Amino acid sequence: MAGRGLLVLLAVLACSGAQGQDAGGHFRFGTIFWKRVESMPTSNTVEITIETAWRRSYSSNYFTAAQMPDHTLMQINGKESPVLELGDGNMVFLEKVKITAWSQAEDWFLGEQVFRHTYDRPNNGGQPWMVVFKGCCRMKSLRNNPDQAWEMKMGVDMMKTSMSPRVVSLPVVFFSKPAAGLPTKAMFNLRTAMAYDDIIWTAAVPGTNAPANYNALPGTVTVMPPGNVTVDVGTVGLFHVTAYAHMRQHPEIMVPVDVIVNVSAAANTDPQFDQATLSLFTREHVARPGFEFTADIGGFMGQNTNPANYVGFTVGPLPAGAHLSTVRGKGTSPSDVAMMTLKWVPCVEQMNKSVVCFDVVNSLGMASTQRCLAINVVADAAPAVSVSLGGTVLGPRGPMSPLLIGATYVFQVTATDFNRMDSLTIMPSRPDGGACAAGETCVPPHAVMSQPWSWMMPMGGNLSTAVNLTLSPRHDQGGYVMQHCFTAADACGAACGTSTCPGVVHSTTTCITIRVDRCQFVVRQGQELQEIAAIYNSDWLQLWSLNHQLSNPDVNLMPGNIVNVGHLYAVQPYDKPREVAVRFGMSDAAFATLNADVMLGDMEREQCTSVAECSSMRWCILPSSCNGASGSIYQGAYEEQPWFAAEKDVLSSPPMAQVAAAAAPTK
């Protein structure tokens, strides 16, 4: 199967843990799995992969593990040559396996051979094709089925699925016999790659998916979901476990695995993983095409009093392109952890679920129980982007209240990506995410964008990048209303396989509307009423008359005080800005200064034509009694009326009889 490469034990250790020579077989591990050939999706052609492990030090008249000239193939034969029966009357022999991993300390090498076979139909009359892998012989030193043939079965049904799960394990799982009085039950976990989310696990059943004389060691071995294998480790020695992984939706599609369990005498020097590494094995990790995935694997001796002792690691097959660093440190104690780093940049073709298994081996030939790292390679997703003000995330309508002239606002634009290895950029943009052309108002006038900064959330959290947009609305921005958009984009990742941009550049755009209130001005340090009036070509008398909260025009204004710099005018149907400006004695420029949403070129254009359309429209007016149309046809019309003098001079009202007489009609 594509996607696995040659691995070796990184710290070459002594062979004192290897089992001694015997006259039995040397088969140690086996699993088989299948997938439909992707280039032939409508055919009934499958690739069947056999992964097997053999005793590295074994040789006899029945078996030759002959190294081929390219140094990566081993020729396999035996007392009964390993054979794959394909279920349709055809069979092939396991002859040349490609070495994918080996361990001198644990005395095994792991290899694979891939067979391509075309069936005449996708299944066997509604039932799966039953593929059988068998041969002889197992090791003589096993507690169960010593020196016996092995037989494993697999179901192939291309009507139900395009691939089977793949069981991943090291060939040998190690335990130490517990000290007297301690429980003897221990557990290890089997994992499946490609489809390990919905798997049913069962033990081998003699006469069904194992030979009729198969000894499953009842009471010693229990196989339970989700791949938990409980074994009795109260007896020193070797025994093997055969288990099956079934697809839950289609239990007839099953794949086998056969592993050896090695129980050694109790020792306090057993190697073990450090706590940080153990935490890695408890969860699924996510990787993305084009971006490097890394994991530090650490281990150390148990209670070690000899500084000459050290540890290394046994590693199962890695995905194609993955590699391991050299081992750093000797692992003589918890404070001197031996460490190596797994690094992998997956390609688009590798989007699936992978599993890599490890154990810690020491120079005394003992090993820890295997643990496996689950890695799910998924497509890189687009970043999320948001705009906040004062810690509140804003919706498309922007801030709930309009901004005020003279105040300073800091908007934070934040992009977030689940891919911690990505890099993010944030730019002002058009609503469709397109780049702004020269002269386009993509940010509010006079606003300033900061340089970006990035951070990562702890415990494998998201990557975030942010920029600040600082805006202090100026005196001529009252009434400003504009939609502003920001686009966050991620990166391609490193070229990998057939793709120069495996991560694909994704972008996300968000927009908010920024509004600036009219007629209000926020006082800054040291500003006085006269200075604010001068900004609008007015005088303190006008501004004081607009601010009844000021009891004295000479009162000291405090920073943050809000001063009215005009009067809100409710726009009427068919109102034209120039006509209103003339009426209140304002020039076009003065009117536009107080109403940023009215362009000088629109001063003769009616802004609304119905009561409903005009209902929410307001303009800011700073009237001039000298230049405005203060006169009217009614001016002087009431001077002869009896009540006029009293109202004008705030005198007492005339007698009602006089008022009535004045109002009586003339005869």
Side-chain angles (χ1 to χ4, degrees), residues 17-20 22 25 27-28 55 106-107 139-146 171-175 217 220 232 235-241 259-264:
Q19 298 296 317
D22 60 37
F27 174 79
R28 285 192 169 229
R55 183 139 42 111
E106 298 176 9
D107 194 25
M139 296 172 61
K140 185 175 182 178
S141 54
L142 291 174
R143 288 171 50 198
N144 60 329
N145 310 302
V172 183
V173 179
F174 288 84
F175 290 97
L217 289 177
T220 298
D232 192 314
T235 303
V236 173
L238 303 176
F239 59 92
H240 77 90
V241 175
V259 301
I260 284 181
V261 175
N262 184 340
V263 182
S264 61

mmCIF file of all heavy atoms in Angstrom, residues 17-20 22 25 27-28 55 106-107 139-146 171-175 217 220 232 235-241 259-264:
data_model
loop_
_atom_site.group_PDB
_atom_site.id
_atom_site.type_symbol
_atom_site.label_atom_id
_atom_site.label_comp_id
_atom_site.label_asym_id
_atom_site.label_seq_id
_atom_site.Cartn_x
_atom_site.Cartn_y
_atom_site.Cartn_z
ATOM 1 N N GLY A 17 17.247 -9.447 24.243
ATOM 2 C CA GLY A 17 15.819 -9.706 24.412
ATOM 3 C C GLY A 17 15.280 -10.663 23.374
ATOM 4 O O GLY A 17 14.125 -11.035 23.412
ATOM 5 N N ALA A 18 16.061 -11.073 22.385
ATOM 6 C CA ALA A 18 15.569 -11.963 21.344
ATOM 7 C C ALA A 18 15.384 -13.358 21.884
ATOM 8 O O ALA A 18 16.138 -13.830 22.717
ATOM 9 C CB ALA A 18 16.555 -11.970 20.178
ATOM 10 N N GLN A 19 14.383 -14.018 21.358
ATOM 11 C CA GLN A 19 14.165 -15.395 21.753
ATOM 12 C C GLN A 19 15.251 -16.268 21.152
ATOM 13 O O GLN A 19 15.742 -16.033 20.051
ATOM 14 C CB GLN A 19 12.779 -15.859 21.280
ATOM 15 C CG GLN A 19 11.644 -15.081 21.900
ATOM 16 C CD GLN A 19 11.589 -15.276 23.406
ATOM 17 O OE1 GLN A 19 11.746 -16.386 23.885
ATOM 18 N NE2 GLN A 19 11.402 -14.210 24.136
ATOM 19 N N GLY A 20 15.599 -17.335 21.839
ATOM 20 C CA GLY A 20 16.647 -18.217 21.353
ATOM 21 C C GLY A 20 16.184 -19.024 20.161
ATOM 22 O O GLY A 20 15.017 -19.127 19.847
ATOM 23 N N ASP A 22 15.083 -22.111 17.875
ATOM 24 C CA ASP A 22 14.397 -23.374 18.088
ATOM 25 C C ASP A 22 14.067 -23.971 16.729
ATOM 26 O O ASP A 22 14.337 -23.381 15.692
ATOM 27 C CB ASP A 22 13.147 -23.219 18.961
ATOM 28 C CG ASP A 22 12.123 -22.282 18.370
ATOM 29 O OD1 ASP A 22 11.969 -22.297 17.131
ATOM 30 O OD2 ASP A 22 11.466 -21.564 19.137
ATOM 31 N N GLY A 25 8.709 -22.691 13.550
ATOM 32 C CA GLY A 25 8.646 -21.652 12.539
ATOM 33 C C GLY A 25 9.051 -20.307 13.104
ATOM 34 O O GLY A 25 9.442 -20.183 14.262
ATOM 35 N N PHE A 27 7.121 -17.242 12.015
ATOM 36 C CA PHE A 27 6.079 -16.249 11.749
ATOM 37 C C PHE A 27 5.704 -15.534 13.048
ATOM 38 O O PHE A 27 5.408 -16.168 14.055
ATOM 39 C CB PHE A 27 4.853 -16.953 11.170
ATOM 40 C CG PHE A 27 3.664 -16.059 10.997
ATOM 41 C CD1 PHE A 27 3.576 -15.189 9.932
ATOM 42 C CD2 PHE A 27 2.608 -16.099 11.913
ATOM 43 C CE1 PHE A 27 2.463 -14.371 9.768
ATOM 44 C CE2 PHE A 27 1.502 -15.288 11.760
ATOM 45 C CZ PHE A 27 1.432 -14.422 10.677
ATOM 46 N N ARG A 28 5.715 -14.195 13.016
ATOM 47 C CA ARG A 28 5.454 -13.418 14.229
ATOM 48 C C ARG A 28 4.199 -12.557 14.136
ATOM 49 O O ARG A 28 3.543 -12.309 15.128
ATOM 50 C CB ARG A 28 6.642 -12.508 14.550
ATOM 51 C CG ARG A 28 7.827 -13.259 15.126
ATOM 52 C CD ARG A 28 8.844 -12.296 15.695
ATOM 53 N NE ARG A 28 9.848 -13.025 16.474
ATOM 54 C CZ ARG A 28 10.236 -12.693 17.683
ATOM 55 N NH1 ARG A 28 9.684 -11.664 18.278
ATOM 56 N NH2 ARG A 28 11.156 -13.378 18.309
ATOM 57 N N ARG A 55 10.821 -13.711 12.286
ATOM 58 C CA ARG A 55 11.956 -13.680 13.211
ATOM 59 C C ARG A 55 13.217 -13.340 12.413
ATOM 60 O O ARG A 55 13.587 -14.023 11.473
ATOM 61 C CB ARG A 55 12.121 -15.022 13.912
ATOM 62 C CG ARG A 55 13.257 -14.988 14.931
ATOM 63 C CD ARG A 55 12.906 -15.703 16.202
ATOM 64 N NE ARG A 55 12.198 -16.962 16.058
ATOM 65 C CZ ARG A 55 12.756 -18.144 16.361
ATOM 66 N NH1 ARG A 55 14.027 -18.198 16.734
ATOM 67 N NH2 ARG A 55 12.048 -19.248 16.294
ATOM 68 N N GLU A 106 14.305 -6.541 19.250
ATOM 69 C CA GLU A 106 13.132 -7.394 19.383
ATOM 70 C C GLU A 106 13.142 -8.557 18.398
ATOM 71 O O GLU A 106 12.222 -9.368 18.385
ATOM 72 C CB GLU A 106 11.862 -6.543 19.212
ATOM 73 C CG GLU A 106 11.742 -5.467 20.281
ATOM 74 C CD GLU A 106 10.531 -4.561 20.072
ATOM 75 O OE1 GLU A 106 9.695 -4.879 19.192
ATOM 76 O OE2 GLU A 106 10.426 -3.545 20.783
ATOM 77 N N ASP A 107 14.149 -8.611 17.538
ATOM 78 C CA ASP A 107 14.413 -9.736 16.651
ATOM 79 C C ASP A 107 13.268 -9.988 15.673
ATOM 80 O O ASP A 107 12.711 -11.078 15.607
ATOM 81 C CB ASP A 107 14.701 -11.006 17.476
ATOM 82 C CG ASP A 107 15.307 -12.101 16.603
ATOM 83 O OD1 ASP A 107 15.925 -11.769 15.576
ATOM 84 O OD2 ASP A 107 15.129 -13.284 16.948
ATOM 85 N N MET A 139 6.004 -19.953 15.795
ATOM 86 C CA MET A 139 7.171 -20.267 16.627
ATOM 87 C C MET A 139 6.869 -21.410 17.586
ATOM 88 O O MET A 139 5.761 -21.531 18.114
ATOM 89 C CB MET A 139 7.604 -19.017 17.407
ATOM 90 C CG MET A 139 8.066 -17.884 16.518
ATOM 91 S SD MET A 139 8.357 -16.373 17.445
ATOM 92 C CE MET A 139 9.635 -16.891 18.570
ATOM 93 N N LYS A 140 7.860 -22.240 17.825
ATOM 94 C CA LYS A 140 7.693 -23.398 18.703
ATOM 95 C C LYS A 140 7.551 -22.995 20.161
ATOM 96 O O LYS A 140 6.954 -23.711 20.970
ATOM 97 C CB LYS A 140 8.887 -24.336 18.534
ATOM 98 C CG LYS A 140 8.783 -25.651 19.297
ATOM 99 C CD LYS A 140 9.956 -26.567 18.987
ATOM 100 C CE LYS A 140 9.822 -27.900 19.700
ATOM 101 N NZ LYS A 140 10.945 -28.825 19.374
ATOM 102 N N SER A 141 8.077 -21.832 20.523
ATOM 103 C CA SER A 141 8.082 -21.410 21.923
ATOM 104 C C SER A 141 6.781 -20.734 22.354
ATOM 105 O O SER A 141 6.673 -20.266 23.491
ATOM 106 C CB SER A 141 9.257 -20.465 22.177
ATOM 107 O OG SER A 141 9.235 -19.386 21.252
ATOM 108 N N LEU A 142 5.786 -20.674 21.498
ATOM 109 C CA LEU A 142 4.511 -20.064 21.869
ATOM 110 C C LEU A 142 3.756 -20.940 22.865
ATOM 111 O O LEU A 142 3.794 -22.170 22.789
ATOM 112 C CB LEU A 142 3.643 -19.856 20.622
ATOM 113 C CG LEU A 142 4.091 -18.807 19.611
ATOM 114 C CD1 LEU A 142 3.201 -18.857 18.379
ATOM 115 C CD2 LEU A 142 4.070 -17.419 20.221
ATOM 116 N N ARG A 143 3.036 -20.305 23.774
ATOM 117 C CA ARG A 143 2.188 -21.044 24.704
ATOM 118 C C ARG A 143 0.958 -21.620 24.008
ATOM 119 O O ARG A 143 0.409 -22.635 24.441
ATOM 120 C CB ARG A 143 1.740 -20.134 25.845
ATOM 121 C CG ARG A 143 2.843 -19.782 26.844
ATOM 122 C CD ARG A 143 2.375 -18.712 27.820
ATOM 123 N NE ARG A 143 1.076 -19.032 28.429
ATOM 124 C CZ ARG A 143 0.297 -18.140 29.038
ATOM 125 N NH1 ARG A 143 0.691 -16.869 29.084
ATOM 126 N NH2 ARG A 143 -0.844 -18.500 29.580
ATOM 127 N N ASN A 144 0.482 -20.965 22.955
ATOM 128 C CA ASN A 144 -0.675 -21.482 22.221
ATOM 129 C C ASN A 144 -0.298 -21.679 20.755
ATOM 130 O O ASN A 144 0.425 -20.866 20.168
ATOM 131 C CB ASN A 144 -1.884 -20.560 22.353
ATOM 132 C CG ASN A 144 -1.631 -19.163 21.826
ATOM 133 O OD1 ASN A 144 -0.507 -18.673 21.884
ATOM 134 N ND2 ASN A 144 -2.673 -18.514 21.329
ATOM 135 N N ASN A 145 -0.780 -22.759 20.178
ATOM 136 C CA ASN A 145 -0.568 -23.103 18.773
ATOM 137 C C ASN A 145 0.903 -23.113 18.361
ATOM 138 O O ASN A 145 1.251 -22.588 17.299
ATOM 139 C CB ASN A 145 -1.368 -22.161 17.868
ATOM 140 C CG ASN A 145 -2.812 -22.038 18.279
ATOM 141 O OD1 ASN A 145 -3.530 -23.031 18.344
ATOM 142 N ND2 ASN A 145 -3.233 -20.811 18.608
ATOM 143 N N PRO A 146 1.797 -23.670 19.180
ATOM 144 C CA PRO A 146 3.221 -23.666 18.816
ATOM 145 C C PRO A 146 3.477 -24.531 17.589
ATOM 146 O O PRO A 146 2.887 -25.611 17.422
ATOM 147 C CB PRO A 146 3.889 -24.248 20.066
ATOM 148 C CG PRO A 146 2.845 -25.100 20.691
ATOM 149 C CD PRO A 146 1.550 -24.400 20.431
ATOM 150 N N PRO A 171 4.725 -5.805 15.652
ATOM 151 C CA PRO A 171 4.605 -7.265 15.636
ATOM 152 C C PRO A 171 4.565 -7.894 17.021
ATOM 153 O O PRO A 171 3.918 -8.923 17.213
ATOM 154 C CB PRO A 171 5.852 -7.713 14.866
ATOM 155 C CG PRO A 171 6.211 -6.539 14.012
ATOM 156 C CD PRO A 171 5.869 -5.338 14.842
ATOM 157 N N VAL A 172 5.270 -7.304 17.984
ATOM 158 C CA VAL A 172 5.358 -7.883 19.322
ATOM 159 C C VAL A 172 4.916 -6.829 20.336
ATOM 160 O O VAL A 172 5.392 -5.688 20.304
ATOM 161 C CB VAL A 172 6.785 -8.364 19.647
ATOM 162 C CG1 VAL A 172 6.820 -9.037 21.020
ATOM 163 C CG2 VAL A 172 7.285 -9.329 18.570
ATOM 164 N N VAL A 173 3.995 -7.232 21.221
ATOM 165 C CA VAL A 173 3.519 -6.346 22.286
ATOM 166 C C VAL A 173 4.097 -6.862 23.600
ATOM 167 O O VAL A 173 3.929 -8.042 23.936
ATOM 168 C CB VAL A 173 1.986 -6.323 22.349
ATOM 169 C CG1 VAL A 173 1.512 -5.404 23.474
ATOM 170 C CG2 VAL A 173 1.405 -5.877 21.011
ATOM 171 N N PHE A 174 4.768 -5.989 24.333
ATOM 172 C CA PHE A 174 5.509 -6.390 25.527
ATOM 173 C C PHE A 174 4.765 -6.034 26.807
ATOM 174 O O PHE A 174 4.135 -4.976 26.916
ATOM 175 C CB PHE A 174 6.879 -5.710 25.545
ATOM 176 C CG PHE A 174 7.843 -6.272 24.532
ATOM 177 C CD1 PHE A 174 7.836 -5.826 23.227
ATOM 178 C CD2 PHE A 174 8.758 -7.255 24.893
ATOM 179 C CE1 PHE A 174 8.718 -6.332 22.290
ATOM 180 C CE2 PHE A 174 9.644 -7.769 23.965
ATOM 181 C CZ PHE A 174 9.617 -7.307 22.656
ATOM 182 N N PHE A 175 4.888 -6.929 27.793
ATOM 183 C CA PHE A 175 4.418 -6.684 29.155
ATOM 184 C C PHE A 175 5.436 -7.285 30.115
ATOM 185 O O PHE A 175 6.180 -8.206 29.763
ATOM 186 C CB PHE A 175 3.056 -7.347 29.414
ATOM 187 C CG PHE A 175 1.916 -6.721 28.682
ATOM 188 C CD1 PHE A 175 1.475 -7.250 27.477
ATOM 189 C CD2 PHE A 175 1.276 -5.607 29.195
ATOM 190 C CE1 PHE A 175 0.424 -6.678 26.797
ATOM 191 C CE2 PHE A 175 0.215 -5.032 28.524
ATOM 192 C CZ PHE A 175 -0.213 -5.565 27.318
ATOM 193 N N LEU A 217 -6.687 -19.454 23.818
ATOM 194 C CA LEU A 217 -6.375 -19.182 25.220
ATOM 195 C C LEU A 217 -7.561 -18.538 25.930
ATOM 196 O O LEU A 217 -7.467 -17.423 26.453
ATOM 197 C CB LEU A 217 -5.135 -18.297 25.349
ATOM 198 C CG LEU A 217 -3.792 -18.927 24.994
ATOM 199 C CD1 LEU A 217 -2.687 -17.886 25.120
ATOM 200 C CD2 LEU A 217 -3.489 -20.131 25.877
ATOM 201 N N THR A 220 -7.505 -16.160 29.035
ATOM 202 C CA THR A 220 -6.239 -15.416 29.004
ATOM 203 C C THR A 220 -6.332 -14.199 28.098
ATOM 204 O O THR A 220 -5.754 -13.160 28.377
ATOM 205 C CB THR A 220 -5.092 -16.331 28.531
ATOM 206 O OG1 THR A 220 -4.943 -17.407 29.454
ATOM 207 C CG2 THR A 220 -3.779 -15.581 28.424
ATOM 208 N N ASP A 232 -3.912 -11.908 30.173
ATOM 209 C CA ASP A 232 -3.398 -12.300 31.483
ATOM 210 C C ASP A 232 -1.888 -12.400 31.371
ATOM 211 O O ASP A 232 -1.354 -13.201 30.598
ATOM 212 C CB ASP A 232 -3.985 -13.645 31.913
ATOM 213 C CG ASP A 232 -3.708 -13.946 33.377
ATOM 214 O OD1 ASP A 232 -2.555 -13.751 33.806
ATOM 215 O OD2 ASP A 232 -4.635 -14.387 34.081
ATOM 216 N N THR A 235 1.928 -15.127 33.595
ATOM 217 C CA THR A 235 2.874 -16.186 33.244
ATOM 218 C C THR A 235 3.885 -15.655 32.244
ATOM 219 O O THR A 235 3.510 -15.066 31.223
ATOM 220 C CB THR A 235 2.140 -17.393 32.639
ATOM 221 O OG1 THR A 235 1.162 -17.865 33.560
ATOM 222 C CG2 THR A 235 3.121 -18.517 32.309
ATOM 223 N N VAL A 236 5.176 -15.858 32.534
ATOM 224 C CA VAL A 236 6.235 -15.411 31.631
ATOM 225 C C VAL A 236 6.227 -16.280 30.382
ATOM 226 O O VAL A 236 6.039 -17.506 30.449
ATOM 227 C CB VAL A 236 7.606 -15.483 32.332
ATOM 228 C CG1 VAL A 236 8.736 -15.189 31.348
ATOM 229 C CG2 VAL A 236 7.639 -14.506 33.504
ATOM 230 N N GLY A 237 6.426 -15.667 29.231
ATOM 231 C CA GLY A 237 6.506 -16.418 27.986
ATOM 232 C C GLY A 237 5.837 -15.692 26.849
ATOM 233 O O GLY A 237 5.433 -14.523 26.965
ATOM 234 N N LEU A 238 5.688 -16.416 25.713
ATOM 235 C CA LEU A 238 5.108 -15.859 24.501
ATOM 236 C C LEU A 238 3.771 -16.521 24.211
ATOM 237 O O LEU A 238 3.613 -17.735 24.392
ATOM 238 C CB LEU A 238 6.036 -16.080 23.302
ATOM 239 C CG LEU A 238 7.462 -15.543 23.376
ATOM 240 C CD1 LEU A 238 8.232 -15.964 22.126
ATOM 241 C CD2 LEU A 238 7.466 -14.029 23.500
ATOM 242 N N PHE A 239 2.804 -15.756 23.748
ATOM 243 C CA PHE A 239 1.595 -16.314 23.166
ATOM 244 C C PHE A 239 1.122 -15.348 22.090
ATOM 245 O O PHE A 239 1.573 -14.199 22.021
ATOM 246 C CB PHE A 239 0.505 -16.560 24.212
ATOM 247 C CG PHE A 239 0.057 -15.350 24.974
ATOM 248 C CD1 PHE A 239 -1.008 -14.583 24.538
ATOM 249 C CD2 PHE A 239 0.695 -14.977 26.163
ATOM 250 C CE1 PHE A 239 -1.433 -13.471 25.251
ATOM 251 C CE2 PHE A 239 0.278 -13.872 26.882
ATOM 252 C CZ PHE A 239 -0.798 -13.120 26.427
ATOM 253 N N HIS A 240 0.250 -15.813 21.213
ATOM 254 C CA HIS A 240 -0.199 -14.927 20.136
ATOM 255 C C HIS A 240 -1.695 -14.680 20.255
ATOM 256 O O HIS A 240 -2.442 -15.459 20.859
ATOM 257 C CB HIS A 240 0.167 -15.501 18.756
ATOM 258 C CG HIS A 240 -0.716 -16.620 18.307
ATOM 259 N ND1 HIS A 240 -1.855 -16.418 17.576
ATOM 260 C CD2 HIS A 240 -0.624 -17.964 18.501
ATOM 261 C CE1 HIS A 240 -2.434 -17.573 17.322
ATOM 262 N NE2 HIS A 240 -1.706 -18.536 17.867
ATOM 263 N N VAL A 241 -2.118 -13.563 19.672
ATOM 264 C CA VAL A 241 -3.512 -13.136 19.694
ATOM 265 C C VAL A 241 -3.959 -12.891 18.257
ATOM 266 O O VAL A 241 -3.288 -12.170 17.512
ATOM 267 C CB VAL A 241 -3.695 -11.847 20.516
ATOM 268 C CG1 VAL A 241 -5.133 -11.350 20.432
ATOM 269 C CG2 VAL A 241 -3.274 -12.056 21.961
ATOM 270 N N VAL A 259 -0.828 -10.974 16.376
ATOM 271 C CA VAL A 259 0.334 -10.383 17.036
ATOM 272 C C VAL A 259 0.820 -11.321 18.138
ATOM 273 O O VAL A 259 0.074 -12.159 18.636
ATOM 274 C CB VAL A 259 0.013 -8.997 17.644
ATOM 275 C CG1 VAL A 259 -0.460 -8.034 16.595
ATOM 276 C CG2 VAL A 259 -1.028 -9.124 18.748
ATOM 277 N N ILE A 260 2.087 -11.150 18.503
ATOM 278 C CA ILE A 260 2.666 -11.903 19.614
ATOM 279 C C ILE A 260 2.693 -11.022 20.850
ATOM 280 O O ILE A 260 3.004 -9.826 20.775
ATOM 281 C CB ILE A 260 4.084 -12.393 19.267
ATOM 282 C CG1 ILE A 260 3.999 -13.582 18.307
ATOM 283 C CG2 ILE A 260 4.869 -12.781 20.513
ATOM 284 C CD1 ILE A 260 5.332 -14.148 17.913
ATOM 285 N N VAL A 261 2.346 -11.607 21.996
ATOM 286 C CA VAL A 261 2.471 -10.946 23.291
ATOM 287 C C VAL A 261 3.643 -11.591 24.021
ATOM 288 O O VAL A 261 3.706 -12.816 24.161
ATOM 289 C CB VAL A 261 1.176 -11.081 24.113
ATOM 290 C CG1 VAL A 261 1.376 -10.485 25.511
ATOM 291 C CG2 VAL A 261 0.023 -10.392 23.394
ATOM 292 N N ASN A 262 4.572 -10.771 24.451
ATOM 293 C CA ASN A 262 5.779 -11.232 25.142
ATOM 294 C C ASN A 262 5.705 -10.760 26.594
ATOM 295 O O ASN A 262 5.756 -9.557 26.864
ATOM 296 C CB ASN A 262 7.024 -10.667 24.454
ATOM 297 C CG ASN A 262 8.321 -11.188 25.049
ATOM 298 O OD1 ASN A 262 8.350 -11.678 26.184
ATOM 299 N ND2 ASN A 262 9.405 -11.060 24.292
ATOM 300 N N VAL A 263 5.558 -11.687 27.518
ATOM 301 C CA VAL A 263 5.518 -11.362 28.947
ATOM 302 C C VAL A 263 6.876 -11.729 29.538
ATOM 303 O O VAL A 263 7.279 -12.893 29.512
ATOM 304 C CB VAL A 263 4.405 -12.137 29.676
ATOM 305 C CG1 VAL A 263 4.372 -11.735 31.153
ATOM 306 C CG2 VAL A 263 3.055 -11.872 29.017
ATOM 307 N N SER A 264 7.580 -10.722 30.031
ATOM 308 C CA SER A 264 8.901 -10.938 30.617
ATOM 309 C C SER A 264 8.801 -10.943 32.136
ATOM 310 O O SER A 264 7.784 -10.542 32.718
ATOM 311 C CB SER A 264 9.880 -9.865 30.155
ATOM 312 O OG SER A 264 9.441 -8.584 30.570
#
